[in-house]
C-alpha cells in the first residue's frame, strides 16, 4: 500500500510536469531564461520517471525482483538528472537576475567544471558504491558521498538564491521582484529533500515540492509573457499602466518619467517597409535596455504605443542626464553600423511630483518630448535649407563661370 501511494504521488507529479513541458515547448520562446527553464523541466521529468520506475520494480509490485544492474541504472539516472536539473535552475536564476554569467560561452565552460564533481561521484559510484548502493533485498542505501552531493547542490544553488534576493533590491517592477523571490526559494526544495533523506524513502515530498515550485515559476513566467510587448520584448502598455498606478501610490518624491519617440518613423515605414519599421523598434528597445542596464536601480522600460517608449526611474536629475547620455551613446553605436537610414530619438524628461496621477505625468512628458522634437525638426529643416542654398549658389557659380 505504501509503495503504491509513493508511486501514485510521483505519477501525478510526472503528469503535471509533462503538461507544463508540453506547453513550455509549444510556446516557442527562445530567450535564455526559457531555454534554461525547458532544460530544468526535462531533467526533473527524467528524475521523477527514474524514481517512479525504481519504486515499482524494487517495491514488490512486480512478481520478479529487478536485477541489480537495472536498479543501479535507474538510481544513477535519478542522481545525474537531479544534479543537471539543479544546474539548469542555476542558469534560469542567473538569467532572471540578468548577470549573464550562464549566457556567456566561456563562463559557461568554466561553470561546467564544478558541475563535473558530483557527476563524476555518481558515475564512479557504479564501482565504489560510496554514494549509494542497492542491497540484496532491493533496498536503496545511502552512503557518505550522498551527503556530500546534497550539500554541494544546496551550497551552489544557495549562492545563486542569495544573489537573486540581493538583486531584487535593484528591481523596480513589483511583479518581476515577486517572481525573483519565488525563484530564489528553489534551494528550500533541496534542503527539504536532504532533511527527509534521513527519514528514509517513505516521504516523496521532494517531488511535490519541486513540482509546486516549477508550476509556480511557469505561471509567473506566463504572467510576465502576457505583460510583455511581443515585438520589442519590453513591458507593454497594459503592464505600464499597472506599474504607474503602483508608483502613484508609492511615490517617494524621487521618480522621473522619460518619454522617447522615434523621429520620422513614418518615413522608415514608407521608404523601407513595415518589416524594417519593426526592426527599427526592436533596435530602439535594445538601445534602451543596454543604456538602462548599468544603473544600480534598474529603470522600468515599456512600449507606450506605436514608436513611443517610456522609462520610469527612481533617480535624481543628474542620474537622468546620465541615462539620457547613455541612450544617445548607444544610439550612436547602432547608427555607426547602419548602412541605410539613421535612427533619431526625441527624449522628454519630467519629474513625477507627488500628487500627480499617471495621466498627468504622461501628458507633461509628452509636452516636453514634443518640444524637443519640434526644435530638432526645425534644426533639420534649417540644415536642409542651408544645404539647398549652398547647392543653388554652387550651380549659379558654375553658370556664371561658364559664361
Amino acid at each position: 500500500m505504501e509503495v503504491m501511494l509513493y508511486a501514485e504521488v510521483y505519477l501525478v507529479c510526472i503528469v503535471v510536469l509533462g503538461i507544463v513541458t508540453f506547453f513550455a515547448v509549444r510556446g516557442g520562446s527562445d530567450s535564455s531564461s526559457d531555454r534554461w527553464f525547458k532544460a530544468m523541466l526535462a531533467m526533473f521529468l527524467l528524475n521523477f520517471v527514474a524514481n517512479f520506475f525504481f519504486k515499482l520494480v524494487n517495491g514488490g509490485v512486480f512478481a520478479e525482483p529487478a536485477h541489480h544492474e537495472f536498479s543501479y541504472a535507474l538510481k544513477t539516472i535519478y542522481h545525474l538528472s537531479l544534479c543537471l536539473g539543479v544546474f539548469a535552475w542555476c542558469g534560469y536564476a542567473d538569467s532572471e537576475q540578468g548577470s549573464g554569467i550562464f549566457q556567456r560561452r566561456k563562463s559557461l565552460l568554466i561553470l561546467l567544471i564544478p558541475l563535473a564533481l558530483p557527476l563524476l561521484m555518481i558515475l564512479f559510484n557504479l564501482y565504489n558504491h560510496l554514494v549509494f548502493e542497492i542491497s540484496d533485498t532491493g533496498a536503496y542505501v545511502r552512503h557518505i558521498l550522498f551527503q556530500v552531493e546534497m550539500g554541494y547542490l544546496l551550497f551552489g544553488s544557495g549562492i545563486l538564491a542569495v544573489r537573486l534576493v540581493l538583486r531584487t533590491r535593484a528591481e523596480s517592477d513589483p511583479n518581476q521582484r515577486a517572481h525573483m523571490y519565488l525563484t530564489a526559494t528553489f534551494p528550500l526544495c533541496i534542503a527539504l529533500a536532504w532533511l527527509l533523506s534521513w527519514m528514509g524513502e517513505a516521504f516523496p515530498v521532494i517531488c511535490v515540492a519541486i513540482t509546486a515550485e516549477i508550476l509556480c515559476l511557469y505561471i509567473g513566467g506566463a504572467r510576465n509573457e502576457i505583460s510583455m510587448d511581443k515585438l520589442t520584448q519590453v513591458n507593454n502598455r497594459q503592464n505600464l499602466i499597472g506599474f504607474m498606478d503602483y508608483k502613484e501610490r508609492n511615490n517617494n518624491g524621487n521618480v522621473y518619467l522619460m518619454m522617447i519617440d522615434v523621429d520620422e518613423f513614418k518615413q522608415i515605414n514608407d521608404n523601407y517597409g513595415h518589416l524594417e519599421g519593426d526592426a527599427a523598434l526592436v533596435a530602439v528597445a535594445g538601445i534602451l535596455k543596454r543604456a538602462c542596464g548599468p544603473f544600480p536601480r534598474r529603470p522600468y522600460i515599456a512600449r507606450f504605443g506605436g514608436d513611443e517608449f517610456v522609462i520610469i526611474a527612481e533617480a535624481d536629475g543628474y542620474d537622468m542626464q546620465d541615462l539620457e547620455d547613455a541612450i544617445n551613446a548607444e544610439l550612436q553605436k547602432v547608427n555607426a553600423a547602419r548602412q541605410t537610414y539613421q535612427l533619431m530619438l526625441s527624449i522628454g524628461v519630467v519629474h513625477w511630483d507627488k500628487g500627480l496621477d499617471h495621466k498627468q505625468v504622461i501628458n507633461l512628458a509628452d509636452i516636453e518630448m514634443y518640444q524637443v522634437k519640434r526644435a530638432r525638426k526645425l534644426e533639420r529643416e534649417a540644415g536642409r535649407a542651408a544645404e539647398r542654398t549652398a547647392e543653388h549658389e554652387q550651380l549659379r557659380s558654375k553658370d556664371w563661370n561658364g559664361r
Side-chain angles (χ1 to χ4, degrees):
M1 183 65 182
E2 179 183 308
V3 173
M4 290 306 299
L5 180 60
Y6 186 101
E8 286 172 3
V9 172
Y10 261 92
L11 182 60
V12 170
C13 293
I14 290 170
V15 171
V16 172
L17 279 195
I19 294 172
V20 173
T21 302
F22 172 79
F23 285 107
V25 172
R26 192 177 180 184
S29 179
D30 197 38
S31 65
S32 60
S33 61
D34 284 328
R35 290 196 298 270
W36 283 114
F37 185 74
K38 291 170 187 175
M40 181 172 58
L41 277 173
M43 288 301 102
F44 284 121
L45 189 58
L46 179 61
N47 179 271
F48 292 176
V49 169
N51 215 35
F52 170 74
F53 280 107
F54 176 84
K55 197 63 178 180
L56 287 183
V57 299
N58 280 67
V61 175
F62 299 111
E64 292 293 332
H67 293 291
H68 267 53
E69 293 78 4
F70 186 53
S71 298
Y72 268 109
L74 288 173
K75 272 302 180 181
T76 300
I77 293 171
Y78 170 83
H79 282 274
L80 289 173
S81 58
L82 177 63
C83 294
L84 292 172
V86 173
F87 184 76
W89 174 85
C90 290
Y92 178 78
D94 177 76
S95 63
E96 285 297 298
Q97 68 181 2
S99 67
I101 297 174
F102 279 70
Q103 278 66 60
R104 294 191 291 269
R105 181 171 296 180
K106 291 183 179 179
S107 300
L108 184 57
L109 291 175
I110 295 173
L111 289 169
L112 289 174
I113 296 174
L115 175 65
L117 177 61
L119 296 182
L120 289 174
M121 284 195 311
I122 296 163
L123 292 175
F124 281 120
N125 180 73
L126 296 171
Y127 303 98
N128 56 31
H129 308 310
L130 292 178
V131 179
F132 69 88
E133 67 174 327
I134 310 299
S135 69
D136 294 335
T137 60
Y140 171 57
V141 183
R142 303 176 184 88
H143 293 302
I144 183 63
L145 286 187
F146 171 81
Q147 313 304 335
V148 175
E149 175 194 346
M150 297 304 293
Y152 193 86
L153 295 179
L154 181 60
F155 177 74
S157 59
I159 291 176
L160 265 295
V162 170
R163 289 184 59 190
L164 195 58
V165 170
L166 293 176
R167 181 61 182 168
T168 58
R169 298 177 183 177
E171 180 55 57
S172 56
D173 187 349
N175 292 329
Q176 182 63 19
R177 189 162 58 244
H179 187 69
M180 292 167 73
Y181 275 128
L182 177 62
T183 304
T185 62
F186 176 82
L188 296 178
C189 299
I190 306 300
L192 183 62
W194 196 7
L195 177 63
L196 292 176
S197 68
W198 298 95
M199 303 179 185
E201 284 284 290
F203 302 93
V205 181
I206 176 62
C207 66
V208 177
I210 290 179
T211 301
E213 175 84 13
I214 289 178
L215 189 59
C216 290
L217 290 178
Y218 176 73
I219 294 172
R223 181 181 178 183
N224 288 339
E225 283 291 321
I226 293 172
S227 67
M228 297 291 284
D229 179 66
K230 299 298 182 183
L231 175 64
T232 58
Q233 290 300 297
V234 297
N235 296 290
N236 59 22
R237 182 163 181 162
Q238 180 181 357
N239 185 271
L240 170 65
I241 299 303
F243 179 73
M244 294 189 73
D245 286 339
Y246 167 80
K247 295 306 291 183
E248 187 178 328
R249 298 189 303 270
N250 299 274
N251 190 342
N252 60 7
N254 206 26
V255 181
Y256 285 80
L257 187 142
M258 179 181 285
M259 182 71 74
I260 300 141
D261 183 82
V262 183
D263 293 344
E264 300 180 352
F265 181 70
K266 186 176 183 301
Q267 294 185 20
I268 297 175
N269 281 331
D270 292 344
N271 296 332
Y272 301 96
H274 287 84
L275 290 179
E276 184 59 35
D278 288 346
L281 294 177
V282 172
V284 171
I287 289 169
L288 302 183
K289 290 177 186 177
R290 291 190 296 275
C292 290
F295 282 75
R297 182 75 174 177
R298 182 158 51 184
Y300 175 92
I301 309 172
R303 183 182 178 190
F304 186 68
D307 60 329
E308 291 185 327
F309 295 82
V310 167
I311 294 177
I312 300 174
E314 290 186 14
D316 55 35
Y318 296 105
D319 290 336
M320 294 308 292
Q321 183 60 55
D322 289 342
L323 177 56
E324 187 171 351
D325 292 342
I327 292 172
N328 289 324
E330 289 293 334
L331 179 63
Q332 290 178 5
K333 292 178 185 177
V334 170
N335 282 333
R338 301 187 76 86
Q339 301 296 324
T340 52
Y341 59 89
Q342 298 285 285
L343 285 170
M344 297 175 291
L345 302 178
S346 293
I347 302 174
V349 183
V350 294
H351 179 257
W352 191 341
D353 296 324
K354 290 184 178 181
L356 293 178
D357 60 31
H358 68 268
K359 293 181 180 178
Q360 291 171 319
V361 73
I362 285 177
N363 185 55
L364 291 174
D366 252 342
I367 293 171
E368 184 73 19
M369 184 265 293
Y370 277 110
Q371 286 179 349
V372 173
K373 182 180 281 290
R374 280 194 292 270
R376 294 183 63 178
K377 185 177 181 180
L378 289 175
E379 289 180 4
R380 288 195 297 271
E381 289 177 350
R384 290 166 184 167
E387 289 177 0
R388 288 194 296 268
T389 301
E391 290 175 358
H392 183 66
E393 289 296 328
Q394 188 176 9
L395 289 174
R396 288 183 59 186
S397 175
K398 287 181 179 179
D399 290 343
W400 180 261
N401 291 333
R403 293 175 185 176

